[in-house]
């Protein structure tokens, strides 16, 4: 049985090249649907990074290590090599070493725990039950006495208070948590005003930096 010859329209349709899809042109490039989904997912945006975050974290870790070594090492050394020393002397030496190591760790934590490592803007969708408009929440990352992350999510328009004491490295409090930021490193003027208020010294310093940039 003979097959019918293809028509002219079928030949032209078969010879016409099919345009490649976006995924075949560049398999690593996400499609438009994937891109829109990524943008609509509410990813965090970094608003501020503490310039001394790495240094303060390193100091905390060194201090914690020295405190741990003192807590476990000093009693062991006294027990092994303190046989000729009276008990009162052993307690005095060991107690002084432990107090110095742990006291410095506590003092360092008291000073640097409010230091904010990062500020991020987050969408309300990331916080279940949040009753504010999208884009109004801020997440601050600090470190506790054990150098572990402490994340505080707050609304900068209503959760900010100003401590009355003279605690070092603390220029505002979010939900009662003391925090410290370098005002000149926050380039968002609205956020800076919400966190710190109208600070004359900050404005003068920013103006001085702008004048130095113009001079250079």
């Amino acid at each position: 049985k003979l097959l019918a010859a293809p028509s002219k329209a079928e030949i032209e349709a078969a010879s016409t090249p099919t345009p490649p899809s976006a995924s075949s042109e560049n398999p690593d490039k996400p499609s438009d649907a994937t891109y829109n989904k990524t943008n609509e997912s509410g990813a965090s945006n970094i608003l501020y990074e503490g310039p001394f975050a790495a240094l303060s974290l390193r100091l905390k870790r060194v201090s914690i290590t020295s405190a741990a070594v003192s807590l476990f090492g000093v009693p062991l050394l006294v027990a092994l090599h303190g046989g000729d020393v009276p008990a009162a002397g052993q307690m005095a030496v060991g107690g002084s070493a432990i107090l110095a190591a742990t006291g410095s760790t506590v003092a360092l934590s008291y000073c640097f725990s409010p230091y904010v490592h990062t500020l991020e803007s987050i969408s309300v969708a990331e916080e279940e039950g949040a009753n504010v408009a999208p884009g109004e929440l801020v997440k601050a990352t600090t470190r506790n006495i054990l150098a572990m992350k402490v994340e505080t999510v707050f609304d900068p328009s209503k959760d900010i208070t100003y401590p009355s004491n003279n605690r070092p490295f603390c220029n505002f409090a979010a939900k009662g948590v003391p925090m410290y930021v370098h005002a000149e490193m926050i380039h968002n003027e609205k956020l800076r005003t919400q966190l710190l208020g109208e600070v004359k010294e900050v404005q003068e310093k920013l103006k001085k930096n702008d004048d130095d940039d113009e001079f250079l």
Side-chain angles (χ1 to χ4, degrees), residues 52-66 105 108 112:
F52 302 132
L55 176 61
S56 64
L57 181 59
R58 192 177 301 114
L59 288 175
K60 277 179 173 286
R61 288 173 175 170
V62 171
S63 180
I64 292 169
T65 303
S66 63
T105 301
L108 187 68
F112 283 96

Side-chain angles (χ1 to χ4, degrees), residues 1 26 29 31 38 49-50 106 121 129 135 177 207:
K1 184 179 181 179
N26 188 358
K29 182 179 179 181
S31 62
T38 303
E49 289 182 332
V106 172
S121 65
V177 180
K207 185 177 183 302

Side-chain angles (χ1 to χ4, degrees), residues 144-176:
N144 60 12
I145 191 172
L146 298 178
M148 299 173 64
K149 277 187 178 182
V150 178
E151 296 180 345
T152 305
V153 178
F154 61 94
D155 185 351
S157 63
K158 61 182 181 181
D159 294 334
I160 301 299
T161 57
Y162 302 101
S164 57
N165 57 1
N166 294 323
R167 178 171 180 170
F169 285 104
C170 178
N171 49 14
F172 73 98
K175 290 186 175 180

Side-chain angles (χ1 to χ4, degrees), residues 25-43:
E25 289 179 358
N26 188 358
D28 296 331
K29 182 179 179 181
S31 62
D32 293 340
T34 304
Y35 179 78
N36 294 334
K37 183 178 179 181
T38 303
N39 284 346
E40 293 172 0
S41 63

